[in-house]
Amino acid sequence: MAQYNLGKITFDTPDNWQDQGMITFTLPSPDKNVKPNVILTKETLAQEITLADYFERIKEAVAKRGIKDFKIEDERQIEVNSVPAMLMICSWDVSAMKQMLGQGNEEQMKNIKKDGQVVRQVQVSLIKDGTAVNMTASFPAEQFDLYFRPFKQFLGTINFT
């Protein structure tokens, strides 16, 4: 049995269950309409792939969302606790998401302005021992530096056992 600790919840899983996990954290925000967040996903890879090739697939998936005004601002190799990783910072106008999602999502999209509500997102991907980890953090563009600091601290706490 494997035991998991998820905040105030612990549970056991049979050894033959494979953890393909995803967890979302929201950061405190004084704006009730803004929910800065970090999404962490863990994927056991079916076959070996280089970090560069894996990151290229992630980058293509993000770009293929078809979001108007999407642009990559920065892309570089970094390390997360001595593990090679790739980092990408991108941005887009959230109103483009509203147009993309269209009809039927009015309640979910009610707080999105028509134009000028820019999101900056940081994407960090790494591979260790056949496990890929992706961290995606989305913040209001005008507050990116404020939220990026605790995100970098979060990255520094990631360890493989």
Side-chain angles (χ1 to χ4, degrees):
M1 287 283 184
Q3 185 172 64
Y4 289 85
N5 182 340
L6 185 62
K8 296 179 181 181
I9 301 169
T10 61
F11 52 92
D12 296 327
T13 63
D15 289 333
N16 63 350
W17 286 17
Q18 192 174 59
D19 177 0
Q20 300 285 357
M22 178 193 289
I23 187 166
T24 302
F25 299 97
T26 55
L27 286 69
S29 172
D31 184 339
K32 65 181 174 95
N33 296 324
V34 173
K35 300 283 189 234
N37 64 73
V38 175
I39 299 171
L40 183 141
T41 60
K42 175 186 153 205
E43 172 186 8
T44 302
L45 300 171
Q47 58 190 18
E48 197 171 307
I49 186 171
T50 67
L51 176 60
D53 289 343
Y54 182 80
F55 190 69
E56 194 60 35
R57 287 194 333 206
I58 297 294
K59 193 168 75 170
E60 285 175 20
V62 172
K64 284 183 182 177
R65 291 180 194 158
I67 302 170
K68 184 181 84 172
D69 299 334
F70 173 81
K71 65 182 169 198
I72 296 173
E73 299 176 7
D74 189 12
E75 181 182 333
R76 63 179 175 242
Q77 187 164 348
I78 63 169
E79 285 190 357
V80 175
N81 277 341
S82 301
V83 177
M86 292 297 296
L87 174 139
M88 174 177 68
I89 297 175
C90 54
S91 64
W92 65 87
D93 190 322
V94 181
S95 65
M97 290 290 288
K98 190 173 190 173
Q99 293 169 356
M100 206 172 90
L101 292 174
Q103 298 274 350
N105 293 298
E106 289 80 10
E107 183 61 29
Q108 182 183 4
M109 300 281 140
K110 70 181 179 186
N111 295 318
I112 295 177
K113 301 173 193 171
K114 289 233 184 251
D115 293 307
Q117 192 173 349
V118 177
V119 164
R120 288 182 78 198
Q121 184 178 78
V122 58
Q123 174 83 39
V124 176
S125 299
L126 58 93
I127 298 173
K128 173 91 168 150
D129 300 329
T131 299
V133 177
N134 291 289
M135 285 121 331
T136 305
S138 302
F139 311 126
E142 67 276 3
Q143 297 173 323
F144 183 81
D145 293 335
L146 173 71
Y147 288 110
F148 190 57
R149 283 191 295 268
F151 177 73
K152 287 192 295 190
Q153 291 171 339
F154 166 74
L155 287 177
T157 67
I158 294 173
N159 290 296
F160 287 84
T161 57

